Amino acid sequence: MPEQEMYAVLHCEPCEECVHENRQSVEDGQLSWESSSACTRYDVRWCDRGRGVPPPWIRDRIVEREGTVHLPVGGFDGVPIAVLRRVYGLTVAELVAARKAGYRATPVEARYLSGPTP
C-alpha cells in the first residue's frame, strides 16, 4: 500500500504563472513521487509526496512528459508477475492482459522493475 504525505495545501485559480512539477524516483529501494505547484501571482505553493506508484493524475502528467517503456511480463526476461501485482495492485484479469501484451511503465518504474527484485 503506498504511503502518502501531504503538507501545505493551498488553492488558487490556475493562471499562466502557475508552475507544476511532478517527479518519480527510487529512494531506499522504493518507488517515490513528488508533485509540487507554485503560483507567483498569488504567492501560493504546495507540495505532495509519497511512496509507491503515484496517484493517477500525477502519473498521467509524468507519462505525458516522459512517455512510457514497454516491459515484457513473466518468462525469463520479463518482470515477475508477483512483483507487478505487488507494485501496481493489478487484478488477475489485468495481470493476464499484461502477460500477453506487456506493461507500459514510466522510465523510473521501468528501471525499478527491471533491476534486482524489488
Side-chain angles (χ1 to χ4, degrees):
M1 179 69 102
E3 296 176 25
Q4 183 173 342
E5 178 181 337
M6 182 181 292
Y7 54 95
V9 176
L10 302 172
H11 300 281
C12 70
E13 292 296 321
C15 68
E16 62 277 355
E17 294 179 38
C18 289
V19 176
H20 306 285
E21 294 183 21
N22 302 286
R23 294 182 279 306
Q24 264 188 314
S25 61
V26 176
E27 295 177 17
D28 301 323
Q30 293 184 352
L31 281 173
S32 299
W33 58 270
E34 183 175 325
S35 178
S36 62
S37 295
C39 179
T40 56
R41 178 181 290 177
Y42 297 104
D43 194 30
V44 174
R45 293 180 195 89
W46 69 268
C47 186
D48 191 7
R49 65 181 175 184
R51 298 272 184 168
V53 177
W57 62 92
I58 294 172
R59 188 174 188 274
D60 290 347
R61 290 181 192 151
I62 293 169
V63 166
E64 184 178 307
R65 187 183 72 236
E66 299 178 10
T68 61
V69 176
H70 181 263
L71 298 174
V73 176
F76 180 72
D77 291 333
V79 176
I81 292 172
V83 170
L84 206 64
R85 182 172 172 104
R86 182 178 53 79
V87 171
Y88 294 100
L90 300 180
T91 66
V92 172
E94 291 169 327
L95 289 169
V96 169
R99 179 70 175 106
K100 289 179 184 175
Y103 191 80
R104 293 267 173 207
T106 66
V108 170
E109 293 166 357
R111 285 191 300 274
Y112 175 74
L113 293 169
S114 298
T117 305

